[in-house]
Amino acid sequence: MMTRAVALLALAAALGGCAAAKYVTPGGPARLDSIDRADIAEVAARQPAASFPARIAVVRVQAADYRSSTAEPLATGRFAVVPTKELISDDELRTIGEWDDVAAVAPLSKLLLPAKLESIEDLRVAAAKLQADVLLVYTLDTTFRVQGRGYGPLAVLSLGLAPDRDAYVTSTASAIFVDVRTGFVYGVAEATEKDSGLTSAWSSSDTVDAKRIAAEREACRTLLPKLNGILQCPLLVEKDGRLHRVAEGYDEATGFLITGGQPP
C-alpha cells in the first residue's frame, strides 16, 4: 500500500509539472467619455483658455481594476492612473516638447493626485499644480486573439501545450487634449498597432507580456507623430494639389491640433 501511495504521489507531481503555464491579460482601458460627466449645457459652454506656447501635462488612465505584471496604479477610484514611462520614454516626451507652441511637457506625479479619483476634474487639479495649460489624457485598450478566439481584460491564457496557432496582440491608444482651466476638449486622437506570431513562441508569461508591451509602445509611438503641433488658429494648407482647411480641433490629415481662432 505504501509503495502504491508513493507511486500515486509521484504521478501527481509529474502531472503537475506538465500543467500549462498561465498568463493573465492586463486590465482594460478607461472610458474617456465617462470620466467627464458634466452637464451637457455646461460642456457646450466651455471655452479654451490656454496661453501659448503651452505647458502640457501627460497622464495615462486605465479601468479602475487595472493591473499588469509591469505596472501598478499610482491612484485609483472610478478609474486608475498608471505610470506614463512604461510606454512613453523621456525621448518621446521631449518630442512632444518640440511641437509648435509647446513650452514644456511633464507627466503627472503620484504626489499631485488625490487618494481617490472621481473624474477628470481631479486630473485637471493635479495638472494645475504643475502650472500646465493643457492636459493630455491617454489610455490603452489591449486585446489578445489566438486562432480566432479573443481574450479581453483580465482573461487567462494557457501557454505551452497547444500546437502552433496564429496569435495576435492588438493595442489601441486613445488620447484627448483638455484645457486645464476650463475643461474644454481641444481634440482627440487614436492609433492601433498589432504584434503577431505563433503560440509556440508564447512559452512563458514573460514572453507574452513582452509582446503586449511591444504592441502598446508601438501604438503610443504611432499616436504621437500624428500630432505635429498645437496651433492657435485655423489655416489653409495645400494637400495633394488642393486647398485643405484645418479647422478647430484635431485635423487627421495634417496632424495639427487647432485650439481656437476664426476660420480663414
Side-chain angles (χ1 to χ4, degrees):
M1 292 294 293
M2 182 65 68
T3 303
R4 182 182 178 188
V6 171
L8 289 173
L9 288 174
L11 178 60
L15 291 174
C18 293
K22 304 291 186 182
Y23 174 76
V24 179
T25 64
R31 288 287 305 272
L32 298 181
D33 58 339
S34 67
I35 64 176
D36 185 11
R37 303 296 291 175
D39 177 79
I40 294 175
E42 191 272 328
V43 170
R46 292 174 179 175
Q47 296 295 322
S51 57
F52 291 87
R55 296 177 296 275
I56 297 180
V58 181
V59 62
R60 176 186 172 188
V61 296
Q62 298 292 151
D65 60 352
Y66 181 87
R67 67 176 185 267
S68 76
S69 61
T70 56
E72 290 291 329
L74 301 177
T76 59
R78 290 183 56 223
F79 56 96
V81 168
V82 179
T84 294
K85 290 190 176 181
E86 180 189 26
L87 302 178
I88 299 180
S89 67
D90 289 338
D91 287 342
E92 287 158 336
L93 287 177
R94 280 191 286 271
T95 298
I96 299 175
E98 294 171 357
W99 292 347
D100 293 338
D101 273 331
V102 173
V105 59
L108 287 187
S109 165
K110 180 179 181 178
L111 299 176
L112 302 174
L113 297 169
K116 186 177 181 180
L117 298 166
E118 295 292 344
S119 73
I120 200 171
E121 311 304 321
D122 295 323
L123 303 180
R124 287 171 53 202
V125 170
K129 294 175 183 177
L130 279 179
Q131 300 298 309
D133 302 295
V134 176
L135 177 63
L136 167 55
V137 185
Y138 72 100
T139 190
L140 276 297
D141 183 3
T142 301
T143 59
F144 297 73
R145 181 168 292 275
V146 178
Q147 201 179 25
R149 179 183 175 184
Y151 296 84
L154 303 179
V156 178
L157 296 177
S158 296
L159 309 176
L161 295 183
D164 271 355
R165 298 174 179 174
D166 291 336
Y168 303 92
V169 184
T170 302
S171 184
T172 297
S174 304
I176 59 173
F177 288 80
V178 182
D179 191 296
V180 171
R181 294 174 180 83
T182 68
F184 178 83
V185 175
Y186 290 111
V188 300
E190 189 173 277
T192 299
E193 291 294 334
K194 179 185 293 185
D195 198 315
S196 61
L198 297 175
T199 52
S200 60
W202 290 18
S203 57
S204 70
S205 59
D206 288 344
T207 302
V208 179
D209 212 48
K211 292 282 188 181
R212 186 265 303 178
I213 293 174
E216 292 182 343
R217 283 178 176 163
E218 195 59 33
C220 288
R221 291 191 187 103
T222 303
L223 177 74
L224 294 179
K226 289 185 176 181
L227 302 167
N228 294 323
I230 300 177
L231 305 178
Q232 301 178 53
C233 60
L235 70 157
L236 289 173
V237 299
E238 182 183 348
K239 186 171 181 61
D240 299 327
R242 304 177 63 181
L243 284 178
H244 174 71
R245 178 185 172 189
V246 184
E248 187 174 353
Y250 174 71
D251 183 76
E252 187 173 356
T254 62
F256 287 129
L257 182 65
I258 307 301
T259 61
Q262 296 299 317

